[in-house]
């Protein structure tokens, strides 16, 4: 195996024996093979689209499979093998509908399951010899994975975009080319960012269309005395259906990690048995799931495969793009019917209530509409000097000790600064007592990682309010923590909006070659982080 798609990659260079995330070599290779098949499907479907007859099943298969290969979503050998078989079948059918001249191996190869392992070893990241081409191809691939995740969540709410599907497939086709050069790939990277903005805007429209605009909300972080189901990941449709099916059953629903912002939506917070948020960011789940006592549902990343002796091992349910051997899989919706959560609800009823690990509340709900409603107050606070600077500290959390930097940085920011956040990065500082400025909390949580879109909208609104011609003249510093590939699409989206001087930590991506890093530094002023002391001086200057 060779995988270097996330921030925790082994030795900061690449996982080669087993993933730090727990992904075994065989599964990593199968994911590479799935992506190879997906690229072949994209070639056929692009031709069909040109002919005006794109295959919808292929659109869905492509974004779903990209999502499956995102860090910490799917660890199941069986599930990914089945997906490859389904992909090969789909590819055969598409091949009957359209001819492709000079078809790449991605189109031509059609092996049996016995041949998967051998083929998989030849189609991964290292298939590309040139390190800069490889770096840019993977950068685009990872951006597409993030975009696919957002397309899937929006799709679950009935929002689809032919433009996004066309772009994703166009980009995948470009990635099959062995003659593509650095300049073309840089152009493709920027285009990926532009379409990332569209995908995030679409998901924002889907979420707010279905559940209303997030509003300032207090979320309980303690527990009640009923059995509970803990729901993790990012899919709000799954949560809504679970809430509907648990209503009146005596089972409470708690959110975990990236599901926390569900509490900010009027149409989700109205459920009285949406009891609170349990625990912290994804990487703490091994200890926190023990004491939850009830079943846990993963609707997307981040899963940490449990230890063999974990008490909660038989309480894990997965759905959507998730996969974990030994976990109970809840099938997709069919014929417009909701998913069937009866098994997990019955399971919860047999369990003890959760044991509390915290108490009190946290506040969030500062997505773009809510912040816009407060715009006058915010602008006034900036003009009067009460707010000196905003720090966008969105992104991901992770288990590396070096991420203590973000807690320390937040703690030591002066009292006239405000943190704008989104994603699970917030768990590094959202329970600190950082106070408020004239009633504006010093940590404004816009939501999940995909709601980073809100932060961009807020920046554009502030630019307008201050009559500036350049988004980079706002008093905003970007100090972003990344981990997986959704952070990659967020980064590319911000670059496409013209945001410069983004600081990325705790380490720069291993998949950026020295030359590609140089381009990002020269063209966009991207930089890493250093010590809290140094960065505070530098960023406040
Ligand atoms: Fe390693 Fe990250 Fe890939 Fe997992 S996803 S195998 S930790 S680089
Ligand atoms: Fe977190 Fe996995 Fe990225 Fe959605 S849940 S931000 S890491």
């Amino acid at each position: 195996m060779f995988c270097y798609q996330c921030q925790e990659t082994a030795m900061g260079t690449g996982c080669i024996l087993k993933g730090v995330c727990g992904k075994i070599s065989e599964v990593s290779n199968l994911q590479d093979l799935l992506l190879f098949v997906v690229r072949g499907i994209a070639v056929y479907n692009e031709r069909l689209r040109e002919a005006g007859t794109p295959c919808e099943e292929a659109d869905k298969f492509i974004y779903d499979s990209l999502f499956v290969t995102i860090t910490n979503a799917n660890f199941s050998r069986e599930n990914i093998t089945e997906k490859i078989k389904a992909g090969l079948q789909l590819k055969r059918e598409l091949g009957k509908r359209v001819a492709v001249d000079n078809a790449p191996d991605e189109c031509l190869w059609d092996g049996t399951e016995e041949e998967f392992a051998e083929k998989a070893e030849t189609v991964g990241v290292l298939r590309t010899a040139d390190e800069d081409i490889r770096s840019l191809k993977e950068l685009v691939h990872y951006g597409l994975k993030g975009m696919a995740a957002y397309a899937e969540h929006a799709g679950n709410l009935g929002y689809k975009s032919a433009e996004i599907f066309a772009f994703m497939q166009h980009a995948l086709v470009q990635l099959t080319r062995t003659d593509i050069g650095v300049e073309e790939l840089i152009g493709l990277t920027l285009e990926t960012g532009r379409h990332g903005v569209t995908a995030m805007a679409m998901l924002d429209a889907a979420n707010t269309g279905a559940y209303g605009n997030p509003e300032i909300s207090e979320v309980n972080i303690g527990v009640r005395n009923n059995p509970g189901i803990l729901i993790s990941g990012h899919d709000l449709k799954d949560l809504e259906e679970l809430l509907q099916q648990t209503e009146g059953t005596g089972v409470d629903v708690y959110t975990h990690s990236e599901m926390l912002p569900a509490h900010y939506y009027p149409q989700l917070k109205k459920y009285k048995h949406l009891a609170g948020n349990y625990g912290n960011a994804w990487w703490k789940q091994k200890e926190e799931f023990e004491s939850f006592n009830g079943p846990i549902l993963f609707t997307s990343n981040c899963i940490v495969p449990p230890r063999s002796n974990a008490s909660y091992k038989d309480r894990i349910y997965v759905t959507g793009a998730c996969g974990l051997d030994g976990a109970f899989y809840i099938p997709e919706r069919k014929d417009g019917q909701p998913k069937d959560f009866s098994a997990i609800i019955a399971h919860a009823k047999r369990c003890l209530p959760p044991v509390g690990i915290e108490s009190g509340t946290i506040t969030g709900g500062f997505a773009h509409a809510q912040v816009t409603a407060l715009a006058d107050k915010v602008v006034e606070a900036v003009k009067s000097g009460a707010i000196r600077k905003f720090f966008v500290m969105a992104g991901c959390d992770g288990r590396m000790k070096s991420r203590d930097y973000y807690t320390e940085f937040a703690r030591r920011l002066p009292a006239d600064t405000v943190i704008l956040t989104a994603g699970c990065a917030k768990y590094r500082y959202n329970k600190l007592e950082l106070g408020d400025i004239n009633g504006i909390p010093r940590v404004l949580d816009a939501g999940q990682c995909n709601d980073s879109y809100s932060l961009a909208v807020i920046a554009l609104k502030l630019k307008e309010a201050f009559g500036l011609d350049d988004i980079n003249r706002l008093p905003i510093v970007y100090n972003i923590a990344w981990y997986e590939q959704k952070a990659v699409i967020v980064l590319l989206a911000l670059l496409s909006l013209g945001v410069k001087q983004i600081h990325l930590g705790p380490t720069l991506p291993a998949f950026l070659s020295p030359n590609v890093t140089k381009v990002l530094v020269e063209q966009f002023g991207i930089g890493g982080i250093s010590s809290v002391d140094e960065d505070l001086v530098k960023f406040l200057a």
Side-chain angles (χ1 to χ4, degrees):
M1 71 176 282
F2 182 85
C3 181
Y4 63 175
Q5 67 176 353
C6 83
Q7 188 273 325
E8 292 186 358
T9 194
M11 316 292 285
T13 51
C15 296
I16 50 172
L17 299 172
K18 185 186 177 187
V20 173
C21 58
K23 183 165 78 174
I24 60 170
S25 175
E26 190 184 7
V27 168
S28 181
N29 288 346
L30 286 171
Q31 290 187 353
D32 289 341
L33 186 62
L34 178 59
L35 290 174
F36 170 80
V37 173
V38 156
R39 292 193 295 273
I41 292 172
V43 172
Y44 285 120
N45 210 31
E46 186 175 56
R47 295 295 150 88
L48 287 169
R49 184 166 268 108
E50 281 161 8
T53 55
C55 168
E56 266 187 43
E57 190 190 341
D59 289 341
K60 177 147 183 14
F61 188 86
I62 289 168
Y63 68 67
D64 189 50
S65 300
L66 284 164
F67 195 1
V68 158
T69 67
I70 217 164
T71 298
N72 291 342
N74 199 314
F75 294 88
S76 168
R77 182 195 174 282
E78 196 186 324
N79 188 289
I80 296 165
T81 302
E82 286 310 310
K83 283 216 152 42
I84 295 169
K85 287 202 257 177
L88 289 172
Q89 176 59 28
L90 178 59
K91 197 156 67 99
R92 267 175 233 129
E93 283 160 20
L94 297 175
K96 285 183 205 148
R97 285 177 57 188
V98 70
V100 173
D101 298 332
N102 302 321
D105 191 30
E106 277 91 341
C107 288
L108 303 176
W109 188 77
D110 189 9
T112 62
E113 191 176 337
E114 291 67 46
E115 294 165 317
F116 284 3
E118 196 184 335
K119 185 67 181 175
E121 297 214 358
T122 66
V123 298
V125 172
L126 300 177
R127 72 188 181 283
T128 311
D130 182 281
E131 86 167 338
D132 297 325
I133 302 283
R134 184 196 307 147
S135 173
L136 288 163
K137 278 191 169 182
E138 293 309 312
L139 178 56
V140 171
H141 240 138
Y142 304 153
L144 293 176
K145 290 184 186 197
M147 196 187 296
Y150 298 151
E152 175 138 334
H153 294 308
N156 290 342
L157 290 167
Y159 283 63
K160 297 199 163 77
S161 158
E163 181 198 326
I164 290 172
F165 296 154
F167 172 73
M168 280 177 124
Q169 293 163 30
H170 163 74
L172 288 166
V173 173
Q174 300 310 304
L175 298 181
T176 66
R177 286 176 47 197
T178 47
D179 63 343
I180 195 162
V182 165
E183 287 307 316
E184 262 187 287
L185 279 166
I186 290 175
L188 190 62
T189 306
L190 299 179
E191 243 187 289
T192 306
R194 276 196 293 281
H195 286 87
V197 177
T198 312
M200 287 160 83
M202 176 174 73
L203 180 54
D204 184 73
N207 286 340
T208 56
Y211 306 117
N213 275 308
E215 53 192 31
I216 303 177
S217 308
E218 293 226 325
V219 182
N220 172 36
I221 55 172
V223 295
R224 297 181 188 168
N225 208 17
N226 303 315
I229 295 173
L230 188 57
I231 177 168
S232 192
H234 304 70
D235 199 275
L236 299 183
K237 181 75 179 167
D238 285 336
L239 172 63
E240 182 190 27
E241 290 180 352
L242 180 66
L243 286 167
Q244 285 164 344
Q245 293 174 38
T246 40
E247 198 162 29
T249 62
V251 172
D252 286 333
V253 174
Y254 292 81
T255 55
H256 172 254
S257 192
E258 275 287 72
M259 202 55 94
L260 159 66
H263 293 270
Y264 313 153
Y265 289 89
Q267 293 306 317
L268 294 172
K269 67 194 263 192
K270 70 177 184 188
Y271 291 93
K272 302 251 176 315
H273 61 299
L274 180 59
N277 188 70
Y278 191 85
N280 292 279
W282 63 272
W283 59 277
K284 288 200 171 167
Q285 62 189 254
K286 279 187 176 169
E287 46 189 288
E288 294 177 348
F289 287 179
E290 293 283 348
S291 56
F292 184 74
N293 286 338
I296 299 127
L297 171 65
F298 279 101
T299 66
S300 69
N301 58 316
C302 276
I303 303 174
V304 180
R307 291 186 197 96
S308 56
N309 60 352
S311 75
Y312 64 87
K313 223 176 66 178
D314 65 348
R315 288 191 265 127
I316 299 183
Y317 291 70
V318 293
T319 191
C322 295
L324 184 70
D325 289 331
F328 188 99
Y329 186 80
I330 295 178
E332 290 306 300
R333 297 173 187 90
K334 248 205 202 135
D335 309 323
Q337 293 302 306
K339 288 186 183 176
D340 178 3
F341 290 113
S342 55
I344 190 170
I345 297 169
H347 192 155
K349 288 180 179 167
R350 302 193 297 271
C351 297
L352 290 170
V355 174
I357 46 180
E358 293 169 300
S359 61
T361 59
I362 46 178
T363 306
F366 296 92
H368 57 88
Q370 180 64 80
V371 176
T372 306
L374 295 173
D376 289 350
K377 213 171 168 183
V378 173
V379 170
E380 183 44 45
V382 175
K383 285 190 174 153
S384 72
I387 295 179
R388 175 168 32 150
K389 258 189 186 170
F390 296 94
F391 284 79
V392 171
M393 291 179 70
C396 308
D397 198 10
R399 52 201 134 195
M400 275 187 174
K401 180 86 184 107
S402 53
R403 286 184 190 258
D404 289 348
Y405 164 96
Y406 294 102
T407 310
E408 193 55 18
F409 187 87
R411 198 196 307 272
R412 290 187 38 207
L413 273 174
D416 56 0
T417 57
V418 169
I419 295 172
L420 301 173
T421 193
C424 64
K426 68 170 78 71
Y427 285 99
R428 287 279 164 180
Y429 44 79
N430 67 345
K431 291 167 189 172
L432 302 177
E433 296 288 337
L434 295 181
D436 65 274
I437 299 173
N438 303 339
I440 303 164
R442 288 197 50 234
V443 178
L444 299 181
D445 177 20
Q448 300 178 339
C449 49
N450 43 358
D451 300 309
S452 304
Y453 171 75
S454 253
L455 303 181
V457 174
I458 292 168
L460 291 169
K461 291 239 162 87
L462 287 176
K463 175 182 151 217
E464 201 181 297
F466 289 111
L468 298 173
D469 55 358
D470 180 354
I471 201 169
N472 295 298
R473 292 183 57 213
L474 283 166
I476 301 182
V477 175
Y478 293 81
N479 192 4
I480 291 179
W482 83 285
Y483 170 61
E484 37 82 16
Q485 299 78 54
K486 292 187 225 179
V488 174
I489 193 64
V490 171
L491 174 72
L492 296 181
L494 288 175
L495 296 184
S496 89
L497 290 170
V499 177
K500 299 226 157 81
Q501 311 290 339
I502 295 174
H503 298 272
L504 210 56
T507 53
L508 289 180
F511 55 81
L512 296 180
S513 68
N515 286 330
V516 172
T517 306
K518 198 161 157 255
V519 171
L520 291 174
V521 172
E522 283 169 3
Q523 290 192 15
F524 300 100
I526 285 199
I529 54 168
S530 46
S531 70
V532 173
D533 283 324
E534 269 178 56
D535 287 351
L536 280 172
V537 173
K538 193 160 69 189
F539 299 164
L540 285 163

